[in-house]
Amino acid sequence: MSFTIFIERFLHLRKSEIDTNQFIIDIRNSIKEGNIVEAIRVCENKAGTISNIVKAGLLRHNRGKEQIEQAMELSGLVEIAQLEKNGKILSIIAHITPLIGLLGTVLGFIQAFAEMRMSGLVDISATRIGEAMEYALVTTAAGLVVAIPSVLAYNYIVSRIEGFVLEIQTTSSEVVDLLVHREEDY
């Protein structure tokens, strides 16, 4: 399940990426020429997280700076929520699986001690105690085998999303400045 979620998030993040530098150049040229319709068309042609946010601001180009920023911020929240979707499940898996492994360890030790208690110290069956200890160690190992890659995958996804957020903030700020200064030039 963890692997499936990671692959799905990885592909979604990859699909959401665009060449931001080229995108900003195209948008800047259209805005400076006063062609907002063309700038919106550029956003629609470059499907991605940042282009969706910029488009929200461009659609409010004839309003004040605060309204443009508010539209982009709201769109940004929606887009970030889409980026973070299912990431919490990956985090839960990463945190719960070692606990499940630990539970198996405790149950295995309980079983081993119960076997010792029932058989008495004279007639201890090493095979039965060994089975209980093996159960304990296998569950611990299984929990760690799932948890370690899940933690790595979750941290990778979170770092990619943080990169997106930074890119969103800088791009949004630049587009707002372009729109506001365009308004002042007229």
Side-chain angles (χ1 to χ4, degrees):
M1 185 172 173
S2 180
F3 181 73
T4 302
I5 291 170
F6 172 72
I7 294 300
E8 185 271 331
R9 286 292 86 198
F10 178 79
L11 293 175
H12 181 78
L13 289 171
R14 202 168 194 199
K15 187 177 104 177
S16 298
E17 284 180 324
I18 62 170
D19 181 2
T20 308
N21 293 331
Q22 185 59 48
F23 175 71
I24 287 296
I25 290 169
D26 295 343
I27 292 292
R28 183 182 297 128
N29 291 338
S30 297
I31 292 172
K32 284 187 176 181
E33 293 171 0
N35 194 349
I36 301 299
V37 173
E38 178 60 29
I40 292 171
R41 189 174 296 121
V42 169
C43 291
E44 290 171 347
N45 291 338
K46 299 255 186 187
T49 299
I50 293 174
S51 61
N52 292 339
I53 294 168
V54 169
K55 181 181 172 188
L58 290 172
L59 290 172
R60 303 237 178 359
H61 70 92
N62 56 351
R63 300 204 177 133
K65 180 179 178 180
E66 292 78 22
Q67 288 182 336
I68 295 171
E69 287 174 339
Q70 186 178 27
M72 292 175 84
E73 185 177 327
L74 182 60
S75 178
L77 291 173
V78 170
E79 291 293 329
I80 290 169
Q82 286 297 316
L83 294 174
E84 292 175 340
K85 182 181 170 191
N86 295 335
K88 293 288 184 200
I89 296 171
L90 198 57
S91 173
I92 290 169
I93 291 170
H95 287 90
I96 294 278
T97 51
L99 297 174
I100 293 171
L102 181 61
L103 176 63
T105 302
V106 170
L107 292 175
F109 278 117
I110 289 171
Q111 186 179 355
F113 285 121
E115 184 65 35
M116 282 187 228
R117 184 179 47 80
M118 290 188 150
S119 63
L121 292 176
V122 181
D123 192 26
I124 295 178
S125 169
T127 305
R128 302 265 312 199
I129 292 174
E131 287 174 359
M133 294 301 223
E134 181 182 14
Y135 171 80
L137 295 174
V138 166
T139 58
T140 301
L144 292 175
V145 162
V146 173
I148 292 169
S150 296
V151 167
L152 293 173
Y154 175 73
N155 286 326
Y156 174 77
I157 297 295
V158 166
S159 69
R160 289 277 307 269
I161 291 171
E162 287 172 355
F164 262 110
V165 170
L166 181 62
E167 206 171 341
I168 287 167
Q169 290 171 340
T170 56
T171 304
S172 296
S173 177
E174 188 170 345
V175 169
V176 168
D177 286 345
L178 283 170
L179 288 172
V180 168
H181 291 300
R182 177 191 63 90
E183 295 285 327
E184 291 173 358
D185 290 343
Y186 291 124

